[in-house]
Amino acid sequence: MGAKEIIESGKAYLGIEFGSTRIKGVVTDEAGKVLAMGGFGWENSLRDGIWTYSEKEIFAGLKTCYVEVAKDIESKYGVKVKRFAGIGISAMMHGYLAFDENNSLLVPFRTWRNTITGEAAEKLTKEFDYNIPQRWSISHLYQAMLNKEEHVKDIAFFTTLAGFVHWKLTGRKVLGVGDASGMFPIDIATGNFDEKMIAKFDELAKETALTKGLKELLPEVLSAGENAGTLTAEGAALLDESGLLEAGIPLCPPEGDAGTGMVATNSVKVRTGNISAGTSVFAMVVLEKELSKVYPEIDLVTTPDGALVGMVHCNNCTSEINNWVKIFKEFCDLCGITPDMNNLYTKLYSVSISGEPNCGGVMLYNYLSGEPVTGFEKGALVLARTAENNFSLANLMRSNLYSAMATLKIGLDLMLKEEGVKVDEMYGHGGYFKTKGVGTTVAAAAINAPVSVMETASEGGAWGIALLAAYMDKKDSMSLSEYLSDVIFKDAKCEKCEPDAENVEGFDEYIERYKKGLAIERTAVEVL
């Protein structure tokens, strides 16, 4: 079938992901080929000290995104879409959406970006002997309980953004296991929320206003490929105000952006992982076994089919590189040259490869904001060197690229060196990897493992959740990793970079100096 026939016959798949700055929709065929796209830009708001998106914004954004997808389909194929073979909803993970018995939102949505749950996260980590980050949903719930907030006594259900939108489309209070693992710890043996930790939480809750046991409040956990309900008439009207979209379309379990990122980079198999590097950076590694102890630097989440994942998330990555590129553009302007910005980025990234493996001693700290992995609540931007160091353009740019990966490497080294976690291959995506052969070279040196960038790396999470919707039709015949490797990525082209021993040694030398130099960064934060 051609694309038009696939869409007309209702055999295409729709994925919609709510990112922090954009809601994106992607339509694919069963092989993962993108047939149409649409989107809607939005921004979170700081209201009464809380980073949030209003309920009105959430569903206005959903509708606008769908309108843009439908327009793209009609303009390309002359088809007014009425049906899909499957739909998937994804969103940024964590956060807090709490509802009462009447399904009314009790307080404005508290996103992952809020850092107001430090007391709760610390107490739960200690009680569970399991790292509970501030952005997790259970941290938000427990902090509200500790704060004696008025709404706590009325809570009947809480969920994530993806879970909320899915519930409104299907009537089902469910969550994919990957997204669920950012609400509350998952027992890998059962694929469900950890019962022992639920019991511990219920003990803590006895002294608070919470009236229900935690198990009653949490959504049902589902694994990739399971049917998570069908689009109701009300849900169809909520998604498509034109009234053309039919009810009865199956939906896959709603997932978080970390899970859809793993799917979109074919990194759900044990001993694989992915690095997402843009404004912020995070890396995920699918583990063979539990870690030996709790690391505050490492979050434990799962793949969409329930495998344990170690995740390191850092707030700062490419922003300071962008600032240096702007400086070089200003110099070009001063010289009467008007550079093409893409070409300027390519040249500056590329020259870094000719720098020394240890950057010649040139050190950079790119902390525009705080960095929890290294214990910074606030950041400062520092360039440090001695008179003996080789301060060249190549070393400066190489240090910029190293600094963007440095904090991530500190966290990953806990897994790869201290815990002995094995990685066969990592997949990179994001702007950091745009210049061929540069980001992959640095990342491979940072983790001492092969790093690949696939031609589909830019498709993103909306494509990932569309693939999970399509996987519902394949679940009985193959695992998720088999589906991705044998069907979706079978003929995918990729740029693969093996770690170079000299570069690995150079980055290790850089990172030791970097860790010692954090004292400089701390002083800069205090003084500046």
Side-chain angles (χ1 to χ4, degrees):
M1 272 195 216
K4 180 179 179 179
E5 290 75 22
I6 289 169
I7 292 170
E8 276 185 321
S9 60
K11 293 185 177 179
Y13 298 87
L14 170 66
I16 295 177
E17 180 160 281
F18 290 74
S20 57
T21 59
R22 184 168 175 79
I23 304 170
K24 184 178 179 181
V26 169
V27 177
T28 74
D29 62 15
E30 64 176 3
K33 181 182 178 182
V34 175
L35 306 179
M37 291 191 294
F40 173 73
W42 70 341
E43 287 284 350
N44 55 188
S45 305
L46 187 63
R47 298 175 190 166
D48 299 322
I50 302 292
W51 289 106
T52 188
Y53 303 84
S54 71
E55 188 171 358
K56 183 179 179 181
E57 287 175 306
I58 291 167
F59 291 104
L62 176 69
K63 290 173 184 175
T64 304
C65 178
Y66 184 80
V67 165
E68 293 302 310
V69 169
K71 280 183 182 176
D72 194 39
I73 289 172
E74 188 169 5
S75 67
K76 285 178 176 174
Y77 312 110
V79 175
K80 290 184 180 292
V81 66
K82 296 180 180 180
R83 186 170 183 84
F84 295 96
I87 297 174
I89 299 295
S90 173
M92 45 193 150
M93 288 176 68
H94 318 297
Y96 180 70
L97 286 143
F99 303 87
D100 64 15
E101 293 284 359
N102 298 316
N103 296 330
S104 297
L105 188 63
L106 288 166
V107 290
F109 170 34
R110 297 173 182 179
T111 78
W112 63 272
R113 189 178 179 186
N114 291 286
T115 53
I116 55 175
T117 62
E119 181 186 5
E122 185 178 345
K123 286 186 175 181
L124 291 174
T125 296
K126 183 177 180 181
E127 186 68 28
F128 295 165
D129 191 29
Y130 193 100
N131 185 33
I132 307 294
Q134 284 203 49
R135 61 186 181 276
W136 280 28
S137 306
I138 195 62
S139 295
H140 284 277
L141 172 61
Y142 191 45
Q143 191 65 55
M145 293 157 63
L146 293 174
N147 293 346
K148 299 182 179 179
E149 294 186 35
E150 181 65 25
H151 79 275
V152 168
K153 65 180 182 355
D154 299 318
I155 299 172
F157 173 63
F158 76 118
T159 190
T160 65
L161 179 56
F164 177 40
V165 175
H166 180 95
W167 169 32
K168 291 299 181 182
L169 295 179
T170 66
R172 290 193 62 184
K173 297 176 180 178
V174 301
L175 209 57
V177 64
D179 204 11
S181 69
M183 285 194 76
F184 191 85
I186 296 291
D187 181 345
I188 299 301
T190 66
N192 211 326
F193 293 119
D194 191 294
E195 294 279 356
K196 291 180 180 177
M197 294 188 201
I198 287 176
K200 287 182 179 180
F201 185 87
D202 286 342
E203 279 296 314
L204 293 174
K206 285 182 178 179
E207 305 298 320
T208 73
L210 198 66
T211 58
K212 295 181 181 292
L214 181 59
K215 201 169 182 179
E216 294 179 71
L217 306 180
L218 288 163
E220 178 187 357
V221 180
L222 299 176
S223 186
E226 293 189 76
N227 187 299
T230 55
L231 188 67
T232 62
E234 296 80 6
L238 191 62
L239 188 58
D240 178 21
E241 287 186 315
S242 74
L244 289 172
L245 189 65
E246 299 173 1
I249 300 169
L251 272 79
C252 68
E255 264 300 344
D257 52 357
T260 56
M262 285 186 271
V263 170
T265 53
N266 192 23
S267 48
V268 301
K269 195 186 304 181
V270 168
R271 293 173 63 141
T272 65
N274 71 90
I275 300 174
S276 175
T279 304
S280 63
V281 61
F282 65 84
M284 313 185 75
V285 179
V286 187
L287 305 174
E288 294 177 278
K289 60 181 181 180
E290 298 266 3
L291 300 179
S292 66
K293 62 181 181 180
V294 175
Y295 294 92
E297 302 88 349
I298 302 171
D299 298 356
L300 293 175
V301 292
T302 79
T303 63
D305 56 349
L308 186 65
V309 174
M311 176 181 180
V312 179
H313 182 278
C314 306
N315 292 342
N316 302 284
C317 187
T318 59
S319 294
E320 184 63 350
I321 298 176
N322 297 339
N323 289 331
W324 277 99
V325 175
K326 288 176 186 175
I327 289 291
F328 286 110
K329 181 189 181 299
E330 287 183 26
F331 176 73
C332 290
D333 291 341
L334 191 65
C335 295
I337 304 165
T338 304
D340 174 82
M341 288 305 292
N342 285 331
N343 188 41
L344 185 57
Y345 268 97
T346 299
K347 285 185 179 297
L348 289 170
Y349 267 64
S350 298
V351 76
S352 71
I353 297 301
S354 63
E356 296 170 62
N358 66 355
C359 303
V362 178
M363 301 300 302
L364 273 166
Y365 295 87
N366 67 336
Y367 291 5
L368 273 119
S369 63
E371 197 56 83
V373 170
T374 45
F376 284 84
E377 292 185 5
K378 296 181 179 179
L381 301 162
V382 175
L383 167 61
R385 63 189 178 92
T386 68
E388 291 79 21
N389 294 146
N390 182 10
F391 188 51
S392 65
L393 177 61
N395 282 337
L396 173 65
M397 291 311 301
R398 192 172 185 116
S399 187
N400 259 300
L401 289 162
Y402 275 24
S403 73
M405 285 283 148
T407 309
L408 183 77
K409 176 175 170 58
I410 290 170
L412 282 175
D413 278 352
L414 296 174
M415 278 197 282
L416 304 180
K417 293 183 177 181
E418 195 160 325
E419 288 284 331
V421 170
K422 303 298 182 187
V423 179
D424 294 330
E425 188 159 13
M426 294 284 277
Y427 295 92
H429 56 113
Y432 185 86
F433 296 102
K434 189 174 181 180
T435 302
K436 188 174 181 180
V438 179
T440 49
T441 296
V442 175
I447 63 175
N448 195 18
V451 175
S452 296
V453 175
M454 287 183 283
E455 61 181 4
T456 54
S458 63
E459 300 293 1
W463 183 59
I465 193 66
L467 298 183
L468 286 172
Y471 177 61
M472 286 191 293
D473 296 328
K474 305 288 186 182
K475 184 179 186 296
D476 292 339
S477 59
M478 61 182 71
S479 68
L480 179 60
S481 63
E482 289 170 337
Y483 166 69
L484 294 176
S485 296
D486 299 345
V487 178
I488 302 301
F489 296 99
K490 183 180 180 181
D491 299 314
K493 297 176 183 176
C494 72
E495 169 206 339
K496 184 174 183 177
C497 182
E498 297 284 348
D500 174 82
E502 189 178 5
N503 286 337
V504 171
E505 184 181 349
F507 208 137
D508 282 345
E509 183 182 332
Y510 181 92
I511 210 69
E512 288 308 310
R513 189 184 297 110
Y514 184 94
K515 287 190 283 190
K516 292 176 183 177
L518 287 171
I520 305 170
E521 172 69 17
R522 197 164 299 283
T523 301
V525 170
E526 292 169 1
V527 172
L528 299 179

